Amino acid sequence: MRKLSLLFLILLFSCNSKKEDPYFDAIKNNDVALLPPAPGEWLYEHKEKGQTFEQFMNSKHIVPTKEANIIYIKPIGNFTALQNKQIKLVREYLAIFFQLETKISEIASNDIIPKEARRIGGEGQEQFLAGYILDSVLKKEKPLKRIALMGLTQVDLYPKPEWNFVFGLASYSQKIGVSSIYRLQDENLTEANFNLCLSRLLKVCPHEIGHIFGLHHCTAADCLMNGTNSLPETDVHTIRLCSECQMKLNSSIKYDNKKRLLALAKFFKDNNLTVELELMQKDLASIQK
């Protein structure tokens, strides 16, 4: 009798653990399938298989604790007033996106990057070696209760000599990443292109931090976690996490999905990001049916 009771409890737990949140079923209808990649696009050049929810759950990934639950942004460089405004908005957005406290660390000068970690790119622009920033700058930072640390520079980045550039780079094991605003700002950030450039930054930064939380590039749908090879490809891809990538993130952070969605919609409305707002409104409509 005791064996039968134990078996019943195991089966009951198994059924409950596999029961999906209706939120994810509802918003799944708004996922958009990826088209076959064209020459030059990320998936054409990189034959990635993606990551299922089950693979994510079976992988090593970080989970917030009382000792580690704050995301930090580390600005590196000489930023204009408009760029500083965007950094503040990115901080606000990341706090909403990940539903975790997010802080801006003390700004660092470009002088911390030595000559051997710099080069002149193919367009005549200065570039920093992204790996140096991860290993020799961010790795040494130990801010209080850090769960993730994101460097942000106004100088272009490259990951290794044979690559032209990279939008960002992250280390899962070290919980650090770095992104550049250089290619996101059409050479000069102005009031006229402010929202377009902000939208790009709101794609790149959560993407890199998503990697820190263990999310791989998404190959299942149009998604914030898609890999991109160029700015036009970044512009085409959505700012929205697909339903499966949302489920991965929520399984780790365990936030209130509706509360997060409402906060994202408010942020986009307050900052006149209309296309992004429409995506959140579509998800809100789906969960209210």
Side-chain angles (χ1 to χ4, degrees):
M1 185 67 180
R2 289 181 63 186
K3 289 183 178 180
L4 288 175
S5 298
L6 181 60
L7 178 61
F8 174 76
L9 287 172
I10 292 172
L11 290 173
L12 181 63
F13 175 78
S14 176
C15 290
N16 287 338
S17 65
K18 293 181 180 179
K19 186 177 180 181
E20 290 187 5
D21 187 324
Y23 170 87
F24 301 110
D25 281 337
I27 67 165
K28 188 175 182 178
N29 294 326
N30 297 328
D31 290 350
V32 177
L34 286 174
L35 297 173
E41 293 183 343
W42 180 269
L43 285 177
Y44 191 90
E45 305 290 342
H46 304 84
K47 308 301 182 183
E48 295 178 328
K49 295 182 179 180
Q51 177 195 46
T52 66
F53 178 73
E54 288 73 21
Q55 288 171 333
F56 172 80
M57 292 299 292
N58 291 328
S59 69
K60 291 184 178 179
H61 54 272
I62 61 174
V63 175
T65 65
K66 290 182 179 180
E67 294 75 29
N69 56 22
I70 300 176
I71 296 171
Y72 286 88
I73 302 170
K74 177 73 173 179
I76 302 169
N78 182 24
F79 298 92
T80 67
L82 281 179
Q83 288 170 339
N84 280 321
K85 181 180 178 182
Q86 286 204 342
I87 292 172
K88 290 178 181 178
L89 287 171
V90 168
R91 185 216 64 78
E92 181 183 346
Y93 182 74
L94 291 176
I96 297 169
F97 188 93
F98 292 99
Q99 292 291 287
L100 291 170
E101 184 178 359
T102 305
K103 296 182 177 182
I104 300 175
S105 298
E106 183 179 357
I107 190 170
S109 167
N110 284 331
D111 293 341
I112 65 173
I113 312 299
K115 184 178 180 180
E116 59 268 23
R118 302 175 182 227
R119 76 176 186 184
I120 300 300
E123 302 161 15
Q125 82 284 23
E126 185 175 30
Q127 293 182 305
F128 290 164
L129 181 61
Y132 178 88
I133 296 176
L134 293 183
D135 296 334
S136 300
V137 179
L138 300 178
K139 192 175 177 180
K140 297 177 180 178
E141 298 261 332
K142 304 291 182 183
L144 183 67
K145 299 178 70 173
R146 183 204 79 180
I147 190 169
L149 173 61
M150 184 78 194
L152 193 60
T153 174
Q154 102 280 1
V155 173
D156 201 21
L157 298 172
Y158 73 101
K160 45 190 176 181
E162 58 268 32
W163 281 52
N164 292 330
F165 75 96
V166 68
F167 288 117
L169 192 67
S171 168
Y172 305 149
S173 60
Q174 299 298 326
K175 305 175 188 177
I176 52 178
V178 61
S179 292
S180 169
I181 65 175
Y182 176 82
R183 293 181 178 268
L184 310 179
Q185 304 201 332
D186 297 335
E187 295 187 4
N188 292 302
L189 180 62
T190 65
E191 293 287 357
N193 66 9
F194 187 89
N195 277 13
L196 172 61
C197 299
L198 176 62
S199 177
R200 292 166 175 168
L201 196 55
L202 299 182
K203 291 178 181 179
V204 172
C205 289
H207 176 102
E208 295 304 330
I209 296 176
H211 283 319
I212 295 173
F213 275 89
L215 276 68
H216 291 190
H217 281 152
C218 181
T219 60
D222 187 17
C223 177
L224 176 86
M225 291 308 299
N226 296 145
T228 66
N229 262 347
S230 65
L231 191 56
E233 191 175 6
T234 298
D235 286 341
V236 167
H237 284 306
T238 183
I239 202 169
R240 174 183 177 269
L241 276 177
C242 73
S243 59
E244 187 165 49
C245 287
Q246 284 195 49
M247 189 159 55
K248 294 173 189 175
L249 193 63
N250 180 258
S251 71
S252 294
I253 305 179
K254 303 192 184 302
Y255 46 72
D256 183 310
N257 286 297
K258 184 176 180 180
K259 176 185 174 183
R260 174 181 178 272
L261 192 54
L262 287 167
L264 286 171
K266 184 179 185 303
F267 178 91
F268 292 140
K269 183 178 181 180
D270 290 346
N271 291 284
N272 300 310
L273 296 169
T274 55
V275 172
E276 294 80 358
L277 174 59
E278 288 172 3
L279 291 170
M280 301 304 106
Q281 289 175 331
K282 194 172 183 180
D283 280 350
L284 282 167
S286 294
I287 67 174
Q288 290 167 357
K289 287 180 180 178

mmCIF file of all heavy atoms in Angstrom, residues 103-121:
data_model
loop_
_atom_site.group_PDB
_atom_site.id
_atom_site.type_symbol
_atom_site.label_atom_id
_atom_site.label_comp_id
_atom_site.label_asym_id
_atom_site.label_seq_id
_atom_site.Cartn_x
_atom_site.Cartn_y
_atom_site.Cartn_z
ATOM 1 N N LYS A 103 21.539 48.488 -11.807
ATOM 2 C CA LYS A 103 22.254 49.697 -11.415
ATOM 3 C C LYS A 103 23.331 50.045 -12.442
ATOM 4 O O LYS A 103 23.822 49.166 -13.158
ATOM 5 C CB LYS A 103 22.916 49.511 -10.046
ATOM 6 C CG LYS A 103 21.942 49.295 -8.900
ATOM 7 C CD LYS A 103 22.688 49.161 -7.575
ATOM 8 C CE LYS A 103 21.735 49.006 -6.395
ATOM 9 N NZ LYS A 103 22.468 48.922 -5.102
ATOM 10 N N ILE A 104 23.694 51.326 -12.497
ATOM 11 C CA ILE A 104 24.789 51.793 -13.343
ATOM 12 C C ILE A 104 26.025 51.974 -12.474
ATOM 13 O O ILE A 104 26.002 52.724 -11.497
ATOM 14 C CB ILE A 104 24.427 53.113 -14.050
ATOM 15 C CG1 ILE A 104 23.190 52.917 -14.944
ATOM 16 C CG2 ILE A 104 25.613 53.618 -14.884
ATOM 17 C CD1 ILE A 104 22.689 54.199 -15.578
ATOM 18 N N SER A 105 27.087 51.280 -12.821
ATOM 19 C CA SER A 105 28.350 51.397 -12.079
ATOM 20 C C SER A 105 29.075 52.682 -12.476
ATOM 21 O O SER A 105 28.708 53.358 -13.444
ATOM 22 C CB SER A 105 29.258 50.199 -12.378
ATOM 23 O OG SER A 105 28.666 49.000 -11.971
ATOM 24 N N GLU A 106 30.132 52.987 -11.754
ATOM 25 C CA GLU A 106 30.939 54.174 -12.051
ATOM 26 C C GLU A 106 31.547 54.058 -13.447
ATOM 27 O O GLU A 106 32.068 53.016 -13.839
ATOM 28 C CB GLU A 106 32.053 54.320 -11.012
ATOM 29 C CG GLU A 106 32.892 55.568 -11.191
ATOM 30 C CD GLU A 106 33.971 55.691 -10.134
ATOM 31 O OE1 GLU A 106 34.018 54.833 -9.235
ATOM 32 O OE2 GLU A 106 34.775 56.645 -10.219
ATOM 33 N N ILE A 107 31.478 55.142 -14.220
ATOM 34 C CA ILE A 107 31.993 55.147 -15.574
ATOM 35 C C ILE A 107 33.511 54.999 -15.575
ATOM 36 O O ILE A 107 34.198 55.479 -14.669
ATOM 37 C CB ILE A 107 31.572 56.452 -16.305
ATOM 38 C CG1 ILE A 107 31.894 56.355 -17.803
ATOM 39 C CG2 ILE A 107 32.227 57.661 -15.684
ATOM 40 C CD1 ILE A 107 31.290 57.474 -18.615
ATOM 41 N N ALA A 108 34.033 54.298 -16.571
ATOM 42 C CA ALA A 108 35.474 54.123 -16.722
ATOM 43 C C ALA A 108 35.948 54.802 -18.000
ATOM 44 O O ALA A 108 35.201 54.909 -18.979
ATOM 45 C CB ALA A 108 35.838 52.638 -16.757
ATOM 46 N N SER A 109 37.189 55.260 -17.999
ATOM 47 C CA SER A 109 37.770 55.910 -19.169
ATOM 48 C C SER A 109 38.224 54.883 -20.199
ATOM 49 O O SER A 109 38.547 53.737 -19.863
ATOM 50 C CB SER A 109 38.971 56.757 -18.729
ATOM 51 O OG SER A 109 39.745 57.163 -19.843
ATOM 52 N N ASN A 110 38.268 55.293 -21.465
ATOM 53 C CA ASN A 110 38.824 54.435 -22.510
ATOM 54 C C ASN A 110 40.297 54.112 -22.271
ATOM 55 O O ASN A 110 40.839 53.172 -22.859
ATOM 56 C CB ASN A 110 38.677 55.098 -23.885
ATOM 57 C CG ASN A 110 37.254 55.027 -24.409
ATOM 58 O OD1 ASN A 110 36.508 54.113 -24.084
ATOM 59 N ND2 ASN A 110 36.873 55.988 -25.232
ATOM 60 N N ASP A 111 40.942 54.880 -21.408
ATOM 61 C CA ASP A 111 42.364 54.671 -21.118
ATOM 62 C C ASP A 111 42.641 53.321 -20.469
ATOM 63 O O ASP A 111 43.800 52.872 -20.444
ATOM 64 C CB ASP A 111 42.892 55.785 -20.205
ATOM 65 C CG ASP A 111 42.905 57.139 -20.889
ATOM 66 O OD1 ASP A 111 42.868 57.171 -22.136
ATOM 67 O OD2 ASP A 111 42.936 58.164 -20.174
ATOM 68 N N ILE A 112 41.604 52.659 -19.956
ATOM 69 C CA ILE A 112 41.823 51.348 -19.334
ATOM 70 C C ILE A 112 42.073 50.260 -20.383
ATOM 71 O O ILE A 112 42.469 49.152 -20.034
ATOM 72 C CB ILE A 112 40.635 50.935 -18.429
ATOM 73 C CG1 ILE A 112 39.356 50.735 -19.255
ATOM 74 C CG2 ILE A 112 40.411 51.939 -17.316
ATOM 75 C CD1 ILE A 112 38.216 50.169 -18.455
ATOM 76 N N ILE A 113 41.843 50.574 -21.663
ATOM 77 C CA ILE A 113 42.084 49.622 -22.741
ATOM 78 C C ILE A 113 43.488 49.875 -23.311
ATOM 79 O O ILE A 113 43.735 50.931 -23.892
ATOM 80 C CB ILE A 113 41.040 49.748 -23.866
ATOM 81 C CG1 ILE A 113 39.617 49.780 -23.293
ATOM 82 C CG2 ILE A 113 41.215 48.608 -24.862
ATOM 83 C CD1 ILE A 113 39.216 48.551 -22.521
ATOM 84 N N PRO A 114 44.425 48.950 -23.156
ATOM 85 C CA PRO A 114 45.801 49.167 -23.626
ATOM 86 C C PRO A 114 45.932 49.061 -25.152
ATOM 87 O O PRO A 114 45.022 48.580 -25.834
ATOM 88 C CB PRO A 114 46.578 48.051 -22.931
ATOM 89 C CG PRO A 114 45.580 46.956 -22.786
ATOM 90 C CD PRO A 114 44.262 47.628 -22.529
ATOM 91 N N LYS A 115 47.059 49.475 -25.643
ATOM 92 C CA LYS A 115 47.317 49.498 -27.084
ATOM 93 C C LYS A 115 47.157 48.126 -27.716
ATOM 94 O O LYS A 115 46.630 47.994 -28.830
ATOM 95 C CB LYS A 115 48.736 50.041 -27.337
ATOM 96 C CG LYS A 115 49.084 50.204 -28.810
ATOM 97 C CD LYS A 115 50.470 50.796 -28.979
ATOM 98 C CE LYS A 115 50.813 50.953 -30.461
ATOM 99 N NZ LYS A 115 52.180 51.530 -30.640
ATOM 100 N N GLU A 116 47.604 47.080 -27.015
ATOM 101 C CA GLU A 116 47.553 45.732 -27.593
ATOM 102 C C GLU A 116 46.124 45.189 -27.707
ATOM 103 O O GLU A 116 45.895 44.161 -28.358
ATOM 104 C CB GLU A 116 48.413 44.760 -26.780
ATOM 105 C CG GLU A 116 48.027 44.620 -25.326
ATOM 106 C CD GLU A 116 48.779 45.584 -24.413
ATOM 107 O OE1 GLU A 116 49.251 46.629 -24.904
ATOM 108 O OE2 GLU A 116 48.886 45.272 -23.206
ATOM 109 N N ALA A 117 45.163 45.845 -27.078
ATOM 110 C CA ALA A 117 43.760 45.422 -27.176
ATOM 111 C C ALA A 117 42.950 46.387 -28.038
ATOM 112 O O ALA A 117 41.729 46.421 -27.967
ATOM 113 C CB ALA A 117 43.141 45.317 -25.792
ATOM 114 N N ARG A 118 43.657 47.162 -28.880
ATOM 115 C CA ARG A 118 43.002 48.099 -29.802
ATOM 116 C C ARG A 118 43.499 47.839 -31.223
ATOM 117 O O ARG A 118 44.587 47.297 -31.417
ATOM 118 C CB ARG A 118 43.337 49.552 -29.439
ATOM 119 C CG ARG A 118 42.955 49.984 -28.035
ATOM 120 C CD ARG A 118 43.444 51.397 -27.782
ATOM 121 N NE ARG A 118 43.157 51.857 -26.429
ATOM 122 C CZ ARG A 118 42.614 53.045 -26.141
ATOM 123 N NH1 ARG A 118 42.308 53.876 -27.132
ATOM 124 N NH2 ARG A 118 42.393 53.399 -24.895
ATOM 125 N N ARG A 119 42.682 48.232 -32.176
ATOM 126 C CA ARG A 119 43.123 48.196 -33.568
ATOM 127 C C ARG A 119 42.292 49.197 -34.366
ATOM 128 O O ARG A 119 41.291 49.727 -33.874
ATOM 129 C CB ARG A 119 42.972 46.790 -34.167
ATOM 130 C CG ARG A 119 41.535 46.414 -34.517
ATOM 131 C CD ARG A 119 41.442 45.052 -35.198
ATOM 132 N NE ARG A 119 40.076 44.791 -35.651
ATOM 133 C CZ ARG A 119 39.669 43.658 -36.204
ATOM 134 N NH1 ARG A 119 40.544 42.653 -36.359
ATOM 135 N NH2 ARG A 119 38.419 43.499 -36.598
ATOM 136 N N ILE A 120 42.715 49.449 -35.591
ATOM 137 C CA ILE A 120 41.939 50.275 -36.511
ATOM 138 C C ILE A 120 41.193 49.339 -37.447
ATOM 139 O O ILE A 120 41.799 48.492 -38.123
ATOM 140 C CB ILE A 120 42.838 51.241 -37.309
ATOM 141 C CG1 ILE A 120 43.589 52.171 -36.351
ATOM 142 C CG2 ILE A 120 41.997 52.062 -38.287
ATOM 143 C CD1 ILE A 120 42.692 53.029 -35.472
ATOM 144 N N GLY A 121 39.868 49.466 -37.483
ATOM 145 C CA GLY A 121 39.036 48.594 -38.291
ATOM 146 C C GLY A 121 39.064 48.932 -39.765
ATOM 147 O O GLY A 121 39.695 49.912 -40.195
#
